[in-house]
Amino acid sequence: MKKFYLALCAVLAISACASNTPKTEEQTSLRDAYKDVFHIGTALSKSQIMGWDLAAQKVSNKEFSAITAENSMKWEEIHPTEGLFNFTVADKLVELAEQNDQFVIGHTLLWHQQTPNWVFEDKNGNPASKELLLSRLKNHIDTIVGRYKGRIQAWDVVNEALNEDGTMRQSKWYQILGEDYVAKAFEFAHAADPNAELYYNDYNLWMPKKRAGAVKLVQQLQQQGAKITAIGMQAHYSIPSLTTNPDLSEFEASIIAYKNLGIKVMLTEVDITVIRFPGAENQGADISLSYKLQAEFNPYSKGLPDEVSQEFTQLLVDMFKILAKHKESISRVTFWGVNDGQTWRNGWPIKGRTDYPLLFDRKNQAKPAVKALIELSPIFKNS
């Protein structure tokens, strides 16, 4: 009995010590740090949306207040065959967002890439008529936006309609429908859900010529009475030691130009490569580019040096400091993926590379940049 009493006392003593041991304070999440500033978002892959990659999904649930499907709502995925829609992943995305009180962006209703050939062809394989293509576009938008009316809060209506010099891209959409196809897409989206936010989204919008083209496009939409809520500046950038992409003075000039149109401004696809790009410096995000794997373009396959990580962090901090100066017009910052293992940059423009462009590493551990951005958040509230 005495032995039992002594053992019980020892257990109670250990329990008491444990209860008095101070707990390690959990770091504030990104979504909490920017809760009253703007949405901080991420793009989810199919495996993350469906819960097959629960570790990354948990990071998304905790750290981000907005989510976008990385690929699962693009035309080839959600509407692969005429009359056949696949809503499995999109439905799950919306359910996940509702469970975690997250803002949802539908990406994307109209794009020249990842759109099946049948969309642009008649039953004989010839180019579709203007009337046929317009009918298909309306049906696509009516069906998808209508299905998620009131549940998906915003849409990337048109993606990448501009060339680098600011002129209209000569896509099949343009060739068949003419320049007004952009306004038509916005018209259809607004009719399908009058309360949804509607965006134009593109890369390299920090560049002066493309900025001028985007300003012209938005002004035309406004003159035509189209509802456009915001412009999304895709931020597929590089660390400064590799390139001048972006020039931060031009980056800020673009934010000012777009907000002066009376619309909101967003960074929509933030990822910052740390690997040199073969070819031209201002690489943008043209997914048709492809090069063979070479060691000189894959220098960090074993890990990232601290000095490169610091440069990555500093660029994000510098960008966020600019955003703080224009905080009244910034509605969202979305990182294009949860972790480095997911990023499309591992396969573009060279397959097999090891890149590090996101906020969380391949083990879903936060990088120093996460802490830096959290510590920076008070300037948005005090400035």
Side-chain angles (χ1 to χ4, degrees), residues 342-361:
Q342 171 192 355
T343 178
W344 69 299
R345 284 192 178 275
N346 291 324
W348 180 88
I350 300 175
K351 290 184 179 180
R353 295 212 293 180
T354 306
D355 208 343
Y356 303 80
L358 297 170
L359 293 179
F360 294 84
D361 66 20

Side-chain angles (χ1 to χ4, degrees), residues 70 74 84 86 103 111 123 161 275 303 336 375:
E70 186 178 24
K74 292 172 181 173
L84 177 64
N86 181 1
F103 186 89
W111 190 24
K123 62 182 180 181
I275 304 176
W336 205 238
E375 291 177 347

Side-chain angles (χ1 to χ4, degrees), residues 178-192:
E179 193 166 323
D180 286 346
Y181 82 86
V182 177
K184 281 294 183 183
F186 275 86
E187 176 190 325
F188 297 154
H190 181 55

